[in-house]
Amino acid sequence: MNFKHYNQNQLVLFPYSFEDLIPENHPVRIVNDILEKVNIDPLLKAYSKEGNPSYHPVMMLKVMVFAYMNNIYSSRKIEKALRENINFMWLSNMSIVDHNTVNRFRTHKLEAAFKNIFSQVVLLLAEEGLVSLKQVFVDGTKIEAQAGRYTFVWANAIKTNKEKMLRQLEELWKYAQSVAKEEDKDPEPPEFKEISKEKIRQTAENINAKLKGSGGKTDSDKKAKAKLNYIKKNFEKNLDKYEAQEAILAERNSYSKTDEDATFMRMKDDHMMNGQLKPAYNAQISTENQIIVNYTIHQQTNDINTLERHLENFEKLFGKKRMEELEELTADAGYGSEQNYELLEQNNITPFVKYNTFDKEQNARYQAKHKIFSKENLHYNGEDDFYVCPMGQKMEKTHESTRKTKTGYPQKLSHYQAKNCDGCPIRGVCHSSKENRSIERNHHLEDYKEKIRKLLNSEKGIKKRKQRSVEVEPVFAHLKHCNNFKRLVSGLLF
């Protein structure tokens, strides 16, 4: 039988070159060419002139980028690729870097300079005409943290435990008072509203004095003294622990003991399929032509409060001039709020951003159901500032109020009430209140909604709404399902 020649011991006159073995259009050449154009001065600041010579940062950067492109995140697998994969061997010029060096580079060297390098790459793409940085599509996804899934610390649990400590102190104080002798001059009883070390110490001393006076003969006295000893031994220590936990929590409602930056969030891709909360980060990205041009990592569980910092990061990455050139921003209803609309208006950015009931309003059944009786459809007289109920009764303004959102943003509300709903034939379907019908309206937000409604229903708005689902969603699909990037390392690139 005829076979092609095969002899592993056959010598060759000239050794093979990687240049011959790697195709001209291979992605590794693109990575190499782009990163050769990057200014690495920010990366060099992380290196010291003393000690043994380090591996060249450009080479390490190329290896890291190409490894992540190929779903290789483990430092040991990167080391293996440098020994066995001709693409990595070509990038590194046959340098064999051990896994510890890989970890030190991405943890200590690359962290501070990564965003600068990222912005340079995006600007190179802009020079090539692949992105304009004038219109972006924004969305977020939750990525599970590399942390224990059941290492909860909850703000409500800390609050409950502190209240329980106060309650125990108060109960023991009352018992000590009841057994104290009448001739004793009682010290002023402490106020059991807020717990502190000083209060624990002072109350424990007073209780101890009272219990000593009682002689401690009964079983109740012995139990009280045992409880007092427990308070002396544990309460101050527990309070220190709770205060440290509250400092880590800041404004969050939870964190993980094994990754204090992670917040417990409800994940869509649930490995147990039961909707459990897991330690995670909220990753926000802006894309154009399915290219990520901006990203931020957040600890908030929802998207509505992330937009301001996301836009601030855009300005840090590309400068004030590029920020002023940003013309349009498209996002889903998760970002639709008065604060965000005002933010975009202040930056002269056209907001193709839905509000929370926009999709429902497009539904004919919803419109028919809410056409007459919903407050959104009541007639409003802007000149005299009053509403008209479905029966034609005037609803005059009673007062104004201000409330603040979780971020501290003030919202001005106007309150209106009908004068007499008694005997109204449609009262049962109009409202369920026992009093006359009243409504509250945020006129500033309603003005924004009216503008957004017209904008999103315009020809361009409809196009943007369709484009959003095929612009930013596939990027997340590529990251999480194609590249299997489903868990995030602690504190990564905040």
Side-chain angles (χ1 to χ4, degrees):
M1 298 176 68
N2 292 328
F3 297 102
K4 291 184 178 181
H5 178 70
Y6 171 70
N7 183 0
Q8 288 180 291
N9 298 317
Q10 177 69 53
L11 299 176
V12 293
L13 182 60
F14 298 107
Y16 293 110
S17 168
F18 289 138
E19 288 291 338
D20 300 329
L21 298 174
I22 298 173
E24 287 295 325
N25 60 349
H26 197 281
V28 72
R29 293 189 181 274
I30 298 172
V31 171
N32 184 71
D33 292 343
I34 289 175
L35 295 182
E36 280 291 339
K37 299 175 183 178
V38 169
N39 179 8
I40 64 164
D41 287 346
L43 186 56
L44 294 176
K45 293 177 182 177
Y47 285 85
S48 173
K49 295 180 181 179
E50 300 175 355
N52 291 330
S54 301
Y55 290 104
H56 201 286
V58 172
M59 181 271 287
M60 294 294 294
L61 182 61
K62 291 176 182 177
V63 168
M64 291 301 302
V65 170
F66 189 66
Y68 279 38
M69 281 177 61
N70 287 274
N71 308 344
I72 303 174
Y73 307 113
S74 163
S75 58
R76 293 182 184 273
K77 289 182 178 179
I78 292 173
E79 179 185 348
K80 183 180 179 182
L82 286 165
R83 294 177 182 275
E84 300 175 358
N85 190 309
I86 60 169
N87 298 311
F88 284 88
M89 295 163 92
W90 177 71
L91 279 179
S92 66
N93 194 29
M94 292 294 293
S95 297
I96 307 300
V97 184
D98 68 275
H99 62 275
N100 288 320
T101 305
V102 170
N103 268 334
R104 282 194 297 269
F105 175 77
R106 66 181 170 188
T107 304
H108 303 298
K109 302 290 192 296
L110 187 58
E111 183 178 6
F114 185 82
K115 285 204 170 186
N116 183 283
I117 294 168
F118 171 80
S119 65
Q120 290 186 59
V121 173
V122 173
L123 290 172
L124 285 172
L125 296 174
E127 288 178 11
E128 295 294 326
L130 296 172
V131 294
S132 67
L133 297 179
K134 292 183 179 180
Q135 55 175 353
V136 295
F137 295 81
V138 178
D139 203 358
T141 189
K142 294 178 178 67
I143 302 179
E144 191 174 346
Q146 288 277 19
R149 290 187 171 117
Y150 309 106
T151 54
F152 316 97
V153 176
W154 298 100
N156 284 340
I158 295 171
K159 182 181 177 182
T160 301
N161 289 336
K162 289 173 76 173
E163 289 173 353
K164 186 178 178 182
M165 289 166 67
L166 272 174
R167 201 161 52 248
Q168 289 175 330
L169 277 174
E170 187 175 12
E171 288 171 359
L172 196 56
W173 171 266
K174 287 179 179 177
Y175 175 78
Q177 276 187 319
S178 68
V179 299
K181 293 181 179 179
E182 291 182 2
E183 58 268 18
D184 289 346
K185 291 184 179 179
D186 294 340
E188 286 292 323
E191 291 185 1
F192 294 97
K193 292 181 180 179
E194 187 176 345
I195 196 163
S196 65
K197 283 186 182 180
E198 186 180 347
K199 180 172 287 187
I200 292 171
R201 202 175 293 121
Q202 181 185 359
T203 307
E205 288 173 1
N206 293 337
I207 291 171
N208 192 42
K210 285 179 176 289
L211 291 176
K212 277 184 179 179
S214 69
K217 297 177 181 178
T218 65
D219 290 340
S220 297
D221 290 344
K222 291 177 182 178
K223 288 179 180 179
K225 285 190 175 181
K227 193 176 288 186
L228 180 62
N229 289 333
Y230 177 83
I231 288 172
K232 287 179 179 179
K233 185 177 179 182
N234 295 289
F235 271 30
E236 288 190 40
K237 182 174 64 176
N238 289 346
L239 189 60
D240 283 336
K241 181 180 75 172
Y242 295 146
E243 288 175 350
Q245 289 175 340
E246 285 175 329
I248 295 169
L249 281 165
E251 297 178 356
R252 293 183 291 162
N253 65 350
S254 64
Y255 75 86
S256 167
K257 292 176 185 176
T258 52
D259 182 357
E260 294 176 354
D261 291 324
T263 305
F264 278 84
M265 305 181 186
R266 200 169 299 282
M267 311 287 289
K268 288 182 180 177
D269 45 347
D270 180 9
H271 73 290
M272 294 185 72
M273 304 300 290
N274 59 1
Q276 287 189 359
L277 296 170
K278 299 175 186 63
Y281 296 98
N282 187 354
Q284 298 287 313
I285 63 169
S286 294
T287 67
E288 186 180 357
N289 296 330
Q290 294 189 358
I291 296 171
I292 298 175
V293 297
N294 183 23
Y295 72 92
T296 46
I297 309 296
H298 301 260
Q299 295 171 309
Q300 292 97 328
T301 56
N302 55 25
D303 297 333
I304 200 166
N305 297 323
T306 62
L307 188 60
E308 184 174 4
R309 188 160 76 82
H310 192 66
L311 288 177
E312 287 173 358
N313 189 66
F314 185 92
E315 186 172 346
K316 286 179 183 178
L317 288 174
F318 307 113
K320 190 173 181 180
K321 185 180 178 182
R322 288 281 186 181
M323 184 66 191
E324 291 172 350
E325 291 175 353
L326 182 59
E327 297 173 355
E328 299 170 353
L329 186 144
T330 307
D332 61 18
Y335 301 84
S337 71
E338 181 184 0
Q339 184 177 1
N340 287 341
Y341 291 140
E342 188 175 285
L343 173 68
L344 294 170
E345 184 180 57
Q346 289 171 351
N347 287 279
N348 297 316
I349 300 171
T350 304
F352 293 93
V353 182
K354 298 177 184 177
Y355 49 88
N356 57 350
T357 58
F358 177 82
D359 286 329
K360 288 182 179 179
E361 289 176 3
Q362 312 311 304
N363 187 302
R365 288 184 180 179
Y366 178 88
Q367 286 183 335
K369 184 178 178 181
H370 295 80
K371 187 174 182 180
I372 300 174
F373 302 108
S374 70
K375 61 182 180 181
E376 286 82 5
N377 291 293
L378 296 180
H379 174 72
Y380 175 66
N381 186 315
E383 293 182 4
D384 297 326
D385 194 14
F386 67 85
Y387 278 86
V388 179
C389 82
M391 283 297 291
Q393 184 182 173
K394 186 185 290 187
M395 302 178 69
E396 295 182 342
K397 183 191 286 188
T398 57
H399 64 284
E400 290 183 347
S401 65
T402 302
R403 69 182 175 199
K404 290 187 176 181
T405 63
K406 288 183 178 180
T407 59
Y409 179 80
Q411 294 180 317
K412 186 178 178 181
L413 303 173
S414 297
H415 299 261
Y416 302 84
Q417 188 171 32
K419 290 184 177 179
N420 186 15
C421 291
D422 293 337
C424 178
I426 60 171
R427 177 172 180 166
V429 290
C430 182
H431 68 100
S432 57
S433 173
K434 293 181 181 180
E435 306 295 332
N436 295 327
R437 182 175 183 180
S438 61
I439 60 172
E440 63 176 31
R441 301 296 281 165
N442 183 340
H443 290 295
H444 192 217
L445 178 58
E446 292 305 317
D447 291 341
Y448 280 130
K449 282 185 176 181
E450 184 61 31
K451 293 175 184 176
I452 296 297
R453 193 179 294 114
K454 290 178 180 178
L455 189 63
L456 291 177
N457 285 320
S458 66
E459 186 177 345
K460 186 174 184 180
I462 294 170
K463 182 180 178 182
K464 286 284 185 181
R465 282 156 52 193
K466 290 178 180 178
Q467 191 178 353
R468 190 199 69 80
S469 61
V470 296
E471 171 66 43
V472 67
E473 298 290 353
V475 176
F476 284 135
H478 185 74
L479 281 172
K480 298 178 80 172
H481 298 284
C482 299
N483 278 9
N484 201 32
F485 189 79
K486 295 183 179 179
R487 302 194 80 177
L488 196 61
V489 180
S490 169
L492 180 67
L493 304 175
F494 272 92

